Amino acid sequence: MTDAPRLEFRHIGKTFPGVRALGDVGFAVRAGSVHGLLGENGAGKSTMMKILGGEYIPDEGEVAIDGQVRHFRKAADAIDAGVAVIHQELQYVPELSVMENLLLGRLPTRFGLVDRHRALAWTRERLDALGVDLDPRAKLKQLSIGQRQMVEIVKAILRDAKILALDEPTSSLSHRETDVLFRLVRDLRTQGKAMIYISHRLDEIFELCDAATIFRDGRKVADFDALEGVTRDALVQRMVGREISDIFGYQPRDHGEVRLSVKNVTGRAAPLPVSFEVRAGEIVGFFGLVGAGRSETMRVIYGADRRTAGEVRVDGQSIKASHIRDAIRHGLVFCPEDRKEDGIIGVRSVSENINISARRNHLTAGLFVNDRNEARTADHYIERLRIRTPHRRQEIRLLSGGNQQKAVLSRWLAEKDLRVLIVDEPTRGIDVGAKNEIYNVLYELAARGVAVVMISSELPEVLGVSDRVVTMCRGRITAQFDRASANEQNVLAAALPESAGSTPIRNA
Amino acid sequence: FAADDPVKIGFVVKQPEEPWFQDEWKYAEQAAKEKGFTLVKIGAPDGGQVLTAIDNLKSQHAQGFIICTPDVKLGPSIVAKAKIDKLKLMTVDDRLVDGAGNPIESVPHMGISASKIGEQVGEAIAAEMKKRGWKPEETGALRISYDQLPTAKERTDGAIAALTAAGFPKANVVNAPQAKTDTENAFNAANIAITQNPKYKHWIAFGLNDEAVLGAVRAAEGRNFRADNMIGVGIGGSKSALNEFAKAQPTGFFGSVLISPKRHGYETSVNMYEWIKNGKAPPQLTFTTGQLITRANAAEIRKDMGL
Amino acid sequence: MTEPNAAAIAATRETPEARHRALLWQIVDDYSLIGIFVVLFAVLSMTVQYFFSWDNVVGLALSVSQIGMVACTMMFCLASRDFDLSVGSTVAFAGVFCAIVSNATGSVVIGIGASLVAGALVGFVNGAVIAKLKINALITTLATMEIVRGLAFIASHGQAVGVTSEAFFTLGSAEFLSLPVPVWVTLACFVVFGVLLNKTIYGRNTLAIGGNPDAARLAGVAVDRVRIAIFLIQGLVAALAGIILASRMTSGQPNAGEGFELNVISACVLGGVSLMGGRASISGVLVGVLIMGTVQNAMSLMNIDAFYQYLVRGAILLIAVLVDQLKNRRQSR
Amino acid sequence: MTEPNAAAIAATRETPEARHRALLWQIVDDYSLIGIFVVLFAVLSMTVQYFFSWDNVVGLALSVSQIGMVACTMMFCLASRDFDLSVGSTVAFAGVFCAIVSNATGSVVIGIGASLVAGALVGFVNGAVIAKLKINALITTLATMEIVRGLAFIASHGQAVGVTSEAFFTLGSAEFLSLPVPVWVTLACFVVFGVLLNKTIYGRNTLAIGGNPDAARLAGVAVDRVRIAIFLIQGLVAALAGIILASRMTSGQPNAGEGFELNVISACVLGGVSLMGGRASISGVLVGVLIMGTVQNAMSLMNIDAFYQYLVRGAILLIAVLVDQLKNRRQSR
Ligand SMILES: Nc1ncnc2c1ncn2[C@@H]1O[C@H](COP(=O)(O)OP(=O)(O)OP(=O)(O)O)[C@@H](O)[C@H]1O
Ligand SMILES: Nc1ncnc2c1ncn2[C@@H]1O[C@H](COP(=O)(O)OP(=O)(O)OP(=O)(O)O)[C@@H](O)[C@H]1O
Ligand SMILES: [Mg+2]
Ligand SMILES: [Mg+2]
């Protein structure tokens, strides 16, 4: 009994209309270990976790906990069996408070009434114990994505489950919160929990995991009982089926004239004036901690949020404030970070999502949508970025998270007369192979003379891709580094607030 | 039309859920049974549906129809439609008018004019007031109005005309518009009207139908105007009225003007049948009269009418 | 919306002035609609004769008593991202059915009981079809609206059904502390459902389901059960409203409550309940109901022509939401 | 949803059987509701006397012509996650206004023009208030529903307004290829709006807005402008429907079209238009409209008792959506 793994998947198969998401997949997770799960976008990782969480019922196979076969019919069954899953697509209730989200479905009561005081005290205590600084009374919709993700993580941890699955928990977290998370995960491991950890950031896998399994196209291609001695390249090779020696593959380029010039721009949510310039062919990486104000600033520049002052120029021409279409007309586009809220149009097809903006340039008779052209565009990007979808007419919400991200990116790559591209966390949730592909696209665009601004919270990515790194902290630009002078230490130092402790997430 | 074809007659009414029209249909059905023709009952609460109903009758090879239209101004289009579809046409209850507002003489009609019924209500109230010896200046009149419906306006206007003719001061008529034609809305309208006019010692009430007056009576009761200080006279002699009469204690619901659905339903159908079957044209115009029923005589009069 | 967030905000904001400003706005947000109503009431009291009199206030309260009761449960329904069009029919059917059963059995208590059970059953059917068969709530309740209205007509042969027992009428006309019983019942509904919404798991789960059904389901909330409960309770309360209405009118009327559902839903939406689910407050709904009733009452008192009443009703509705939305402009980025 | 995906599927699937199965299901998805209607129609044709006759089919088409026209634009409205309750009032107002202006000017053309402009104006106001002032669509259009109905009553003094010019009536009664003009107009609406939905940027943007308004805005869709256009066109088409109705009835009636909005919305939802936005198909709406009309027509032909008609209507509504939803069960897990 004691040597039965805590959790075992046996011959799991799952088919969706038109998609075989998983076929005869199995692996085991020991108690007191962290088991990495890797694979390309659409490999079936999240589907596996949803089966574990009782959200999907597998067509074939079974899940065994401590050697005992369990059939979960609904999420509540899995919870009862001691399983907690943090889903890739965050599942929170925006209108409720942090406390209520954390205690969703199990608020304490007294005389049949919710015991708010007890709940609050308990939540505070647990948050403090975990070293997570969140106000239990703030509503989720008031938090940044990173904070929301933190809430989701804490929600799962607070369930005291014996099996914990984390599906890309760090996709919206930056350095500090990631550290907090890692510490939490290690604590849980010593407590004997069995954990599954999914991530596309291989460093994290090496840093955290005791064992790993690799999926490809819904099948298991490799199992590693231990990660000692396994090379990064070997993992990548197994995942994507080809060698990627240098994932960044940076090549120096010549930079032209100033394309984007931002002067003293302020907005409601970004009240401090920000100025910077980007040249044609230049890729500028923006780095900062969660809440540093990078997204806010870029939204104001794009016109998504109201601009209260300042000036934005593309090739010397001034862009109207708070007017997205004017920005697009001038070739300035912005790919938002929150793909679920601001990116995808879930119930529409992949093709629709790719073509929504660029189609205005491809009308027939100035009025009718050119279906053939759109199909071609969609198929091109589906192939180029390896968007895994049964067909371009699939509703985009049915794609895996990484593939949705690729489709949203394609929307902007398809723009005809692109001059300035601002991408906010473009590789969030994207696999190594596709990351490489996306970087290549960025280089290509830059080579064509596009000015690229890339916000990223992944330091290696910022350092590996950018010609220049800009750091932000608390709504202000704190430093700029050339590619040559930028390194982990100085960039991170410039991104950290001088007095730690007042950032949203506290470092333990 | 060949003499041995089965006769099929449509009976189209504007408010199929109303007891009045249910009764009309019931008696028409009785005629159908006796004479051996088919009766098609269709409800058509608005103009569009009237036209649909006529089309529908044509599709099922009816030879004629009787209609109580939701709006008399639909006259020309109904007449035209009937002509195109080669259907014989009679009207019941409400008489069609042309574009200029004059009755369309060519269509046989049986009914009672809305203002006529209203006048009967007014007369009944005036008579009862006199009997009780109320001073008109101490009495307020609740006009539970629903002017959105032309018939409703004519009925209440008729009542006012009869009351003023009997010497009731027009200034004492309080308009209480109901937002919908159900009892609750009549209640609310009347309640406010009473609040507004604390000066009156007695109240009288009239409206579109029994339900409107019933609402007024209930509202008055809430403000302590009971049977001896309230005279409400409704229209229709419906179950709402009979329920009031059946109560152990008299209420402010004094009476209701009863019109006979039997004549309207039965006679019109028989006339139409004769017209189709034997080519015997119905009388061009038949006016029926309403009769006041009160607590005292309701049962008796209903029996006389064969209800 | 559910409760002042002032404290929560104060904690997350950075500078003291920002914190102060946020706090102030939050208070405005939380109470703006109440403010609108208070101003409206005060202005009407001063300008409209008889408006501010006990008789009139009681009349006003009575006139919204049915809507008020059902608005409480409709709030839950909308908050969970559902929709119920069948309440008007249920009100009518419950009145008719109560009268019929009372007459048949000679017992008002049995009549009321049977009618409540029937109402709950209608609600249960709605809930089960919507939650289990996953049929759109609009269509489902439109269908039951038709069916239940039909049953009301069939049961009553389209006629008002008088109740023979006098005891029945006290329910609608008796007074307690000089407020009529229906008003007390409505007040009780507001208290009960206010507590249910804010203080119980049921209420919190309702908001969670409306805010994000998937999140609620994944957190182990028995989503289907809660939704069915919401509809069941709504049916029950609608039946209660129907019984009280029948008692007030001393007869069950099959054509009662037409258009009732839209009035109830409007009152809720006016009170800040989001049709997209997840947001509701009992004080908002109360104010929504009161504004609707007050406007109608004042118009009648002012003798506004029936045709012009349409204009005023429409305009007031717009103004009330507009003023209430101004706060959102500030928030919108 | 918008059009058969069968071909697209076949092109990119993996294994042959999976491809076949997917293709089959896709066809079921795309055409299930149409299938339901075909079965319904066939059964009625065989069982109900006179149902399957040219006269009756034309009568049926006429009876849904107004609803059909407005359902086309309501589809856009719902697809963009909005809601319009004011169409019934607009139908009434347009009829009355057209009659009044025609009589006053002696020109039917001016009357029609003025009425169309008025309808478009109502729609524009709706759209502007909803899109720019960000007021809830339900409340806004409820308000305009009241206001416009009031205007119709005021303009007509509550009475039907007869038109003196005979020319006006041809619009409603003339036939072309033995189909009446209103039916042609409705067919034209379905074609035009079908093309608009599927083949133009306007239609695609409408769906995108309904799917996710924030994302659409960030993708450069002129969200406000599209929403205003949707309401404006809806007002215009409702006015057209009102004019045609008035012409059929030879008078403008201020109380026409009550409950019209609910019928139109039901037809759309029955036709698979999602109230949550983003999903609509013109063939679905057509079938939704036809099912509603057919059921009513057949009931009249079968001489079903008025009270029992409520039950049948409700039941059919439920069955139609239920059968249609069965396909979703398959997808749900
Ligand atoms: N409900 C669904 N309907 C149809 N297809 C689905 C559904 N859910 C998942 N899929 C498909 O199943 C495959 C596996 O998806 P899954 O989300 O498990 O991938 P993943 O490995 O988590 O990828 P990522 O790294 O991008 O998150 C994908 O091709 C996806 O399109
Ligand atoms: N109390 C609060 N009320 C509302 N919003 C808040 C509050 N506290 C923090 N936020 C949110 O925090 C976020 C600030 O971070 P922003 O997204 O601009 O940073 P960033 O540098 O892009 O970091 P990242 O995108 O990695 O989270 C904003 O979304 C802001 O709205
Ligand atoms: Mg995934
Ligand atoms: Mg950001």
Side-chain angles (χ1 to χ4, degrees):
Chain A
M1 210 43 219
T2 42
D3 43 312
R6 171 56 42 95
L7 168 69
E8 191 178 3
F9 294 98
R10 297 175 185 156
H11 310 291
I12 301 279
K14 177 75 188 173
T15 305
F16 296 107
V19 186
R20 181 135 184 88
L22 288 173
D24 192 23
V25 185
F27 65 91
V29 184
R30 292 186 309 270
S33 77
V34 181
H35 193 106
L37 194 54
L38 295 90
E40 286 180 297
N41 295 127
K45 305 178 296 292
S46 298
T47 305
M48 200 64 153
M49 294 309 103
K50 286 177 183 166
I51 286 171
L52 175 63
E55 197 180 341
Y56 290 156
I57 299 171
D59 302 335
E60 301 130 33
E62 57 200 25
V63 176
I65 295 177
D66 290 332
Q68 221 182 335
V69 174
R70 300 297 196 111
H71 293 286
F72 300 147
R73 301 260 121 210
K74 54 183 193 292
D77 296 347
I79 291 174
D80 290 344
V83 176
V85 178
I86 298 165
H87 291 270
Q88 183 177 8
E89 296 305 336
L90 303 183
Q91 294 292 2
Y92 52 85
V93 185
E95 296 286 343
L96 295 184
S97 65
V98 169
M99 174 195 87
E100 285 189 296
N101 270 283
L102 291 178
L103 290 172
L104 193 55
R106 54 195 194 112
L107 279 166
T109 56
R110 213 162 62 122
F111 312 125
L113 300 183
V114 171
D115 189 345
R116 201 172 284 277
H117 282 290
R118 195 146 62 90
L120 210 53
W122 186 83
T123 316
R124 275 228 177 85
E125 186 193 319
R126 296 302 299 264
L127 285 174
D128 280 348
L130 294 176
V132 176
D133 184 12
L134 283 168
D135 185 330
R137 288 171 300 175
K139 285 185 181 176
L140 264 270
K141 64 172 180 182
Q142 295 166 333
L143 304 181
S144 70
I145 304 189
Q147 289 173 312
R148 293 178 202 186
Q149 190 154 35
M150 220 51 210
V151 172
E152 287 283 285
I153 293 167
V154 173
K155 179 162 85 179
I157 290 175
L158 289 192
R159 282 199 181 279
D160 289 328
K162 53 185 177 184
I163 298 169
L164 188 64
L166 303 98
D167 194 346
E168 297 192 31
T170 53
S171 63
S172 295
L173 301 187
S174 61
H175 251 72
R176 290 190 156 205
E177 306 99 281
T178 306
D179 286 346
V180 174
L181 173 68
F182 281 14
R183 189 175 43 73
L184 292 176
V185 170
R186 292 199 182 98
D187 283 354
L188 293 168
R189 173 165 52 195
T190 53
Q191 289 166 28
K193 315 267 183 199
M195 282 172 285
I196 299 178
Y197 189 90
I198 300 178
S199 177
H200 291 294
R201 300 181 184 174
L202 295 182
D203 307 347
E204 296 181 351
I205 301 285
F206 281 111
E207 198 180 330
L208 209 57
C209 297
D210 306 302
T213 298
I214 300 183
F215 283 9
R216 244 189 104 192
D217 283 346
R219 309 201 167 261
K220 185 171 79 173
V221 292
D223 245 338
F224 298 92
D225 284 338
L227 288 174
E228 277 88 54
V230 179
T231 65
R232 190 191 163 90
D233 287 350
L235 285 185
V236 172
Q237 158 79 30
R238 285 315 223 344
M239 268 168 69
V240 300
R242 64 193 158 110
E243 295 259 2
I244 301 179
S245 48
D246 174 11
I247 154 163
F248 299 118
Y250 175 85
Q251 285 144 6
R253 266 164 277 107
D254 289 336
H255 302 157
E257 294 293 300
V258 170
R259 274 232 123 135
L260 172 69
S261 129
V262 175
K263 266 205 205 96
N264 296 324
V265 163
T266 61
R268 276 245 182 77
L272 300 175
V274 170
S275 311
F276 64 93
E277 287 183 346
V278 185
R279 297 175 171 278
E282 191 183 23
I283 299 179
V284 177
F286 270 69
F287 183 75
L289 301 181
V290 164
R294 295 162 299 167
S295 304
E296 253 66 30
T297 305
M298 296 307 161
R299 287 179 65 94
V300 172
I301 291 171
Y302 182 51
D305 291 349
R306 182 157 306 156
R307 193 203 305 165
T308 47
E311 197 180 33
V312 176
R313 285 179 182 275
V314 172
D315 288 341
Q317 283 170 301
S318 178
I319 310 273
K320 276 190 227 162
S322 323
H323 197 301
I324 291 174
R325 274 168 309 118
D326 194 48
I328 295 178
R329 238 177 273 129
H330 283 90
L332 167 71
V333 304
F334 168 74
C335 182
E337 67 180 328
D338 187 347
R339 71 167 167 261
K340 197 170 161 201
E341 297 290 326
D342 293 333
I344 63 164
I345 296 169
V347 295
R348 306 304 301 166
S349 69
V350 176
S351 170
E352 265 314 281
N353 273 280
I354 292 176
N355 284 297
I356 178 169
S357 178
R359 70 155 52 103
R360 69 183 192 288
N361 300 317
H362 307 291
L363 297 179
T364 306
L367 182 64
F368 298 104
V369 171
N370 186 333
D371 281 325
R372 188 138 10 115
N373 197 326
E374 296 202 347
R376 207 176 322 119
T377 309
D379 288 342
H380 172 77
Y381 286 104
I382 288 173
E383 204 173 313
R384 171 90 203 257
L385 297 185
R386 282 183 241 268
I387 301 177
R388 202 178 125 97
T389 173
H391 46 82
R392 77 181 105 83
R393 305 257 173 136
Q394 182 82 330
E395 286 184 17
I396 196 168
R397 69 192 170 94
L398 300 178
L399 263 54
S400 79
N403 285 309
Q404 293 179 3
Q405 181 74 19
K406 292 190 236 170
V408 172
L409 261 180
S410 312
R411 172 186 304 167
W412 298 119
L413 304 183
E415 275 292 332
K416 203 173 57 174
D417 189 19
L418 204 54
R419 291 188 217 181
V420 180
L421 173 66
I422 306 175
V423 282
D424 197 350
E425 310 282 2
T427 59
R428 221 175 103 198
I430 284 188
D431 70 48
V432 189
K435 255 184 198 169
N436 178 250
E437 203 52 56
I438 285 171
Y439 300 146
N440 284 336
V441 173
L442 293 184
Y443 299 146
E444 242 173 67
L445 289 172
R448 252 170 54 192
V450 175
V452 178
V453 173
M454 181 185 75
I455 300 177
S456 172
S457 301
E458 250 188 284
L459 195 45
E461 178 175 272
V462 171
L463 294 173
V465 174
S466 322
D467 297 311
R468 182 152 56 97
V469 177
V470 176
T471 54
M472 280 188 79
C473 180
R474 293 189 175 169
R476 240 186 279 267
I477 292 185
T478 50
Q480 304 209 18
F481 304 91
D482 294 341
R483 185 174 177 85
S485 62
N487 60 40
E488 293 218 7
Q489 285 73 34
N490 58 14
V491 170
L492 202 51
L496 289 178
E498 267 119 68
S499 60
S502 54
T503 41
I505 312 275
R506 194 193 308 145
N507 208 344
Chain B
F1 167 75
D4 50 349
D5 270 5
V7 176
K8 189 180 260 186
I9 296 173
F11 204 119
V12 182
V13 304
K14 61 182 174 189
Q15 288 165 304
E17 292 84 14
E18 286 289 305
W20 164 258
F21 294 106
Q22 286 288 321
D23 284 341
E24 274 189 356
W25 274 351
K26 194 169 83 192
Y27 292 110
E29 198 75 77
Q30 191 183 325
K33 237 183 236 123
E34 284 170 18
K35 299 285 178 183
F37 60 89
T38 314
L39 185 80
V40 181
K41 301 178 292 190
I42 302 182
D46 70 37
Q49 292 182 45
V50 168
L51 303 180
T52 302
I54 301 174
D55 280 332
N56 201 299
L57 288 168
K58 178 198 174 196
S59 329
Q60 40 180 316
H61 301 255
Q63 295 95 7
F65 66 99
I66 301 151
I67 186 167
C68 172
T69 169
D71 192 323
V72 292
K73 290 233 175 115
L74 286 171
S77 69
I78 294 175
V79 172
K81 192 100 194 164
K83 204 155 154 202
I84 294 170
D85 292 352
K86 302 197 184 60
L87 292 166
K88 293 192 162 54
L89 168 64
M90 283 175 64
T91 54
V92 68
D93 300 344
D94 295 340
R95 198 171 183 201
L96 301 180
V97 301
D98 60 20
N102 302 316
I104 299 179
E105 307 276 356
S106 61
V107 179
H109 173 74
M110 172 182 286
I112 175 169
S113 80
S115 46
K116 209 35 162 260
I117 311 177
E119 281 166 29
Q120 272 184 302
V121 171
E123 283 155 13
I125 293 175
E128 182 64 17
M129 269 179 70
K130 199 166 200 180
K131 202 163 121 205
R132 297 190 186 183
W134 290 358
K135 295 196 187 104
E137 56 280 4
E138 291 178 347
T139 307
L142 286 168
R143 172 182 181 252
I144 308 297
S145 63
Y146 191 72
D147 291 347
Q148 292 92 318
L149 203 65
T151 322
K153 185 163 159 48
E154 284 174 40
R155 286 183 176 181
T156 46
D157 285 350
I160 294 173
L163 280 171
T164 41
F168 190 84
K170 206 165 185 171
N172 287 13
V173 177
V174 183
N175 192 30
Q178 47 182 159
K180 294 223 164 57
T181 60
D182 63 8
T183 314
E184 192 196 358
N185 279 292
F187 179 100
N188 292 335
N191 201 12
I192 291 166
I194 295 172
T195 305
Q196 263 177 309
N197 294 281
K199 54 183 181 285
Y200 296 122
K201 287 196 181 133
H202 321 283
W203 283 98
I204 59 176
F206 49 88
L208 157 70
N209 52 20
D210 287 334
E211 281 72 26
V213 175
L214 184 62
V217 169
R218 285 290 96 82
E221 271 169 13
R223 312 298 288 275
N224 274 320
F225 294 93
R226 296 184 184 279
D228 44 353
N229 280 318
M230 174 78 183
I231 303 171
V233 175
I235 293 174
S238 69
K239 204 71 199 282
S240 291
L242 300 181
N243 289 336
E244 288 298 294
F245 300 153
K247 284 188 177 159
Q249 296 300 317
T251 68
F253 199 100
F254 173 74
S256 176
V257 174
L258 172 68
I259 327 160
S260 167
K262 181 163 186 182
R263 270 196 87 182
H264 286 210
Y266 184 87
E267 267 182 41
T268 47
S269 313
V270 170
N271 288 348
M272 179 57 87
Y273 173 76
E274 292 293 335
W275 194 9
I276 293 167
K277 188 81 182 172
N278 308 321
K280 187 171 151 240
Q284 275 306 313
L285 195 57
T286 316
F287 273 129
T288 57
T289 49
Q291 221 170 336
L292 181 73
I293 56 171
T294 61
R295 210 178 159 76
N297 65 7
E300 192 182 327
I301 291 184
R302 283 173 53 83
K303 208 158 120 213
D304 286 351
M305 286 197 173
L307 296 172
Chain C
M1 254 285 173
T2 40
E3 46 174 321
N5 298 315
I9 289 261
T12 43
R13 282 308 166 96
E14 327 223 332
T15 63
E17 337 87 85
R19 200 178 297 172
H20 261 103
R21 208 153 5 102
L23 207 137
L24 193 73
W25 276 119
Q26 190 64 42
I27 291 176
V28 172
D29 283 7
D30 289 341
Y31 298 109
S32 64
L33 201 69
I34 300 182
I36 294 174
F37 174 67
V38 170
V39 170
L40 179 73
F41 195 87
V43 169
L44 290 175
S45 298
M46 282 182 293
T47 54
V48 180
Q49 212 190 352
Y50 302 114
F51 180 81
F52 192 67
S53 66
W54 183 246
D55 276 348
N56 189 54
V57 170
V58 171
L60 198 166
L62 259 182
S63 75
V64 296
S65 59
Q66 269 72 37
I67 289 186
M69 285 175 217
V70 181
C72 291
T73 54
M74 187 61 86
M75 173 182 74
F76 276 78
C77 197
L78 298 178
S80 71
R81 232 187 254 194
D82 275 322
F83 213 78
D84 192 349
L85 293 176
S86 71
V87 286
S89 297
T90 307
V91 163
F93 178 72
V96 167
F97 194 62
C98 176
I100 292 176
V101 174
S102 297
N103 289 347
T105 61
S107 156
V108 172
V109 175
I110 296 179
I112 293 177
S115 181
L116 288 177
V117 170
L121 198 70
V122 171
F124 174 77
V125 170
N126 276 334
V129 170
I130 292 169
K132 293 291 182 190
L133 303 183
K134 314 239 178 291
I135 298 193
N136 177 291
L138 184 92
I139 291 280
T140 305
T141 58
L142 192 72
T144 44
M145 160 174 137
E146 296 271 353
I147 292 173
V148 173
R149 178 72 67 183
L151 291 177
F153 279 125
I154 292 170
S156 64
H157 307 286
Q159 309 257 8
V161 182
V163 179
T164 37
S165 159
E166 299 278 334
F168 182 54
F169 309 145
T170 53
L171 193 58
S173 55
E175 296 201 348
F176 177 68
L177 298 181
S178 71
L179 269 184
V181 171
V183 176
W184 282 113
V185 174
T186 309
L187 286 176
C189 279
F190 274 101
V191 172
V192 168
F193 287 100
V195 170
L196 275 178
L197 182 71
N198 292 315
K199 301 277 172 216
T200 67
I201 299 234
Y202 168 65
R204 303 324 286 176
N205 282 350
T206 300
L207 289 171
I209 291 172
N212 185 345
D214 290 332
R217 193 169 44 77
L218 291 174
V221 173
V223 175
D224 288 355
R225 211 185 305 155
V226 172
R227 291 176 82 191
I228 293 177
I230 289 171
F231 278 99
L232 191 146
I233 296 177
Q234 168 119 308
L236 193 76
V237 171
L240 181 66
I243 293 167
I244 291 180
L245 183 65
S247 150
R248 286 176 58 202
M249 301 303 149
T250 73
S251 60
Q253 310 213 348
N255 57 359
E258 276 178 8
F260 184 79
E261 51 284 343
L262 265 191
N263 284 335
V264 172
I265 293 173
S266 318
C268 286
V269 176
L270 189 56
V273 180
S274 162
L275 286 177
M276 291 290 154
R279 239 187 297 177
S281 83
I282 192 81
S283 64
V285 171
L286 177 60
V287 171
V289 168
L290 287 177
I291 289 182
M292 305 255 303
T294 304
V295 169
Q296 191 58 45
N297 179 285
M299 284 196 301
S300 300
L301 280 180
M302 290 192 277
N303 283 330
I304 293 181
D305 184 285
F307 298 159
Y308 286 89
Q309 291 200 5
Y310 284 88
L311 301 192
V312 178
R313 252 195 319 262
I316 294 280
L317 215 53
L318 265 190
I319 293 170
V321 230
L322 184 58
V323 175
D324 191 45
Q325 291 300 86
L326 284 183
K327 69 181 189 208
N328 291 348
R329 309 231 74 188
R330 183 180 47 78
Q331 294 174 343
S332 79
R333 13 192 203 179
Chain D
M1 257 279 178
T2 41
E3 46 178 317
N5 297 318
I9 293 220
T12 41
R13 287 326 329 304
E14 329 209 343
T15 64
E17 339 87 87
R19 198 181 298 171
H20 263 102
R21 208 151 6 101
L23 207 138
L24 192 75
W25 277 119
Q26 191 67 43
I27 291 176
V28 172
D29 283 6
D30 287 343
Y31 297 112
S32 64
L33 199 70
I34 300 183
I36 295 173
F37 174 68
V38 169
V39 170
L40 178 74
F41 195 87
V43 169
L44 290 176
S45 298
M46 282 181 295
T47 54
V48 179
Q49 214 192 349
Y50 306 115
F51 180 80
F52 192 66
S53 65
W54 182 247
D55 276 350
N56 189 54
V57 171
V58 171
L60 198 166
L62 259 181
S63 75
V64 295
S65 58
Q66 270 72 42
I67 288 186
M69 286 174 218
V70 181
C72 290
T73 53
M74 187 61 86
M75 174 182 72
F76 277 79
C77 195
L78 298 179
S80 71
R81 228 188 256 191
D82 275 321
F83 213 80
D84 192 349
L85 294 176
S86 71
V87 286
S89 296
T90 307
V91 164
F93 179 72
V96 167
F97 194 61
C98 177
I100 292 176
V101 174
S102 297
N103 288 348
T105 61
S107 156
V108 173
V109 175
I110 295 181
I112 292 177
S115 181
L116 289 177
V117 170
L121 198 70
V122 171
F124 174 77
V125 170
N126 276 334
V129 171
I130 292 168
K132 291 291 181 190
L133 304 183
K134 315 237 178 291
I135 298 192
N136 177 291
L138 185 92
I139 291 282
T140 305
T141 58
L142 192 73
T144 43
M145 162 175 136
E146 296 271 353
I147 292 173
V148 174
R149 178 73 65 185
L151 290 178
F153 279 124
I154 293 169
S156 64
H157 306 287
Q159 310 267 346
V161 183
V163 179
T164 38
S165 159
E166 296 282 331
F168 183 54
F169 310 143
T170 54
L171 192 60
S173 55
E175 296 204 347
F176 176 68
L177 298 181
S178 72
L179 269 183
V181 172
V183 177
W184 281 114
V185 174
T186 309
L187 286 176
C189 280
F190 274 101
V191 171
V192 168
F193 286 101
V195 170
L196 275 179
L197 183 71
N198 293 313
K199 300 281 170 216
T200 67
I201 237 180
Y202 168 66
R204 299 292 179 86
N205 283 349
T206 300
L207 291 167
I209 291 172
N212 185 346
D214 292 330
R217 193 172 68 92
L218 285 177
V221 173
V223 176
D224 288 355
R225 213 189 295 161
V226 172
R227 292 176 84 191
I228 293 176
I230 290 170
F231 278 99
L232 191 147
I233 296 177
Q234 168 119 307
L236 193 75
V237 171
L240 181 65
I243 293 166
I244 292 181
L245 184 65
S247 149
R248 289 178 59 204
M249 301 191 304
T250 71
S251 60
Q253 310 217 342
N255 50 11
E258 276 179 9
F260 184 80
E261 51 285 341
L262 266 191
N263 284 333
V264 171
I265 293 173
S266 317
C268 286
V269 176
L270 190 57
V273 180
S274 163
L275 287 177
M276 290 290 154
R279 262 186 258 202
S281 83
I282 192 83
S283 64
V285 171
L286 178 59
V287 171
V289 169
L290 286 177
I291 289 182
M292 304 256 304
T294 304
V295 169
Q296 192 58 46
N297 177 285
M299 285 198 298
S300 298
L301 282 180
M302 291 193 279
N303 216 351
I304 291 181
D305 184 285
F307 296 159
Y308 286 90
Q309 291 201 7
Y310 281 90
L311 301 192
V312 177
R313 251 193 322 261
I316 295 279
L317 215 54
L318 264 190
I319 293 169
V321 231
L322 183 57
V323 175
D324 191 47
Q325 290 299 86
L326 285 182
K327 70 177 188 212
N328 292 346
R329 307 231 78 189
R330 181 178 52 79
Q331 294 176 342
S332 69
R333 303 215 123 194

